[in-house]
Coordinates of all heavy atoms in Angstrom, one line a residue:
N283 N 215.5 106.3 138.8 CA 216.5 106.5 139.8 C 215.9 107.1 141.1 O 216.4 106.7 142.2 CB 217.7 107.5 139.3 CG 218.6 106.8 138.4 OD1 218.5 105.6 138.1 ND2 219.6 107.5 137.9
F284 N 215.0 108.1 141.0 CA 214.5 108.7 142.2 C 213.4 107.8 142.8 O 212.3 107.6 142.2 CB 214.0 110.1 141.9 CG 213.4 110.8 143.1 CD1 214.2 110.9 144.3 CD2 212.1 111.3 143.1 CE1 213.7 111.5 145.4 CE2 211.6 111.9 144.3 CZ 212.4 112.0 145.4
Y285 N 213.6 107.4 144.1 CA 212.8 106.5 144.7 C 211.4 107.0 145.0 O 210.4 106.3 145.1 CB 213.4 106.1 146.1 CG 213.6 107.3 147.0 CD1 212.7 107.7 147.9 CD2 214.9 108.0 146.9 CE1 212.9 108.8 148.7 CE2 215.0 109.0 147.8 CZ 214.1 109.5 148.6 OH 214.3 110.5 149.5
G286 N 211.2 108.4 145.1 CA 209.9 109.0 145.5 C 208.9 108.9 144.4 O 207.7 108.9 144.6
Y287 N 209.3 108.8 143.1 CA 208.4 108.8 142.0 C 208.6 107.6 141.0 O 208.3 107.7 139.9 CB 208.7 110.1 141.2 CG 208.4 111.4 141.9 CD1 209.3 112.5 141.7 CD2 207.5 111.5 142.9 CE1 209.1 113.7 142.3 CE2 207.3 112.7 143.6 CZ 208.1 113.8 143.3 OH 208.0 115.0 143.9
D288 N 209.0 106.5 141.6 CA 209.4 105.3 140.7 C 208.2 104.4 140.5 O 208.5 103.4 139.9 CB 210.6 104.6 141.3 CG 210.3 104.0 142.7 OD1 209.2 104.3 143.2 OD2 211.2 103.3 143.2
D289 N 207.0 104.8 140.8 CA 205.8 103.9 140.5 C 205.1 104.4 139.3 O 204.4 105.5 139.4 CB 204.9 103.9 141.7 CG 203.8 102.9 141.5 OD1 203.6 102.4 140.4 OD2 203.0 102.6 142.5
P290 N 205.2 103.8 138.1 CA 204.6 104.3 136.9 C 203.1 104.3 137.0 O 202.4 104.9 136.2 CB 205.1 103.4 135.8 CG 205.5 102.2 136.5 CD 206.0 102.5 137.9
A291 N 202.5 103.7 138.0 CA 201.1 103.8 138.1 C 200.6 105.2 138.5 O 199.5 105.7 138.2 CB 200.5 102.8 139.2
D292 N 201.6 106.0 139.1 CA 201.3 107.3 139.5 C 202.0 108.4 138.7 O 201.4 109.4 138.3 CB 201.6 107.5 141.0 CG 200.8 106.6 141.9 OD1 199.6 106.4 141.7 OD2 201.4 106.1 142.9
N293 N 203.3 108.2 138.5 CA 204.2 109.3 137.9 C 204.9 108.7 136.7 O 205.3 107.6 136.7 CB 205.2 109.8 139.0 CG 204.6 110.1 140.3 OD1 204.9 109.6 141.4 ND2 203.6 111.0 140.3
A294 N 205.2 109.6 135.8 CA 206.0 109.2 134.7 C 206.3 110.5 133.8 O 205.4 111.4 133.7 CB 205.4 108.2 133.7
A295 N 207.5 110.6 133.3 CA 207.9 111.7 132.5 C 207.2 111.5 131.1 O 206.9 112.5 130.4 CB 209.4 111.9 132.3
G296 N 207.1 110.3 130.6 CA 206.5 110.0 129.3 C 205.1 109.8 129.4 O 204.3 110.5 128.8
M297 N 204.5 108.8 130.1 CA 203.2 108.5 130.3 C 202.9 107.6 131.5 O 203.5 106.5 131.5 CB 202.5 107.9 129.1 CG 201.0 107.8 129.2 SD 200.4 106.8 127.7 CE 200.9 105.1 128.1
A298 N 202.2 108.0 132.5 CA 201.8 107.1 133.5 C 200.9 105.9 133.0 O 200.4 106.0 131.8 CB 201.1 107.8 134.6

Side-chain angles (χ1 to χ4, degrees):
N283 284 358
F284 180 55
Y285 59 91
Y287 301 143
D288 61 356
D289 187 352
D292 299 320
N293 312 121
M297 184 188 77

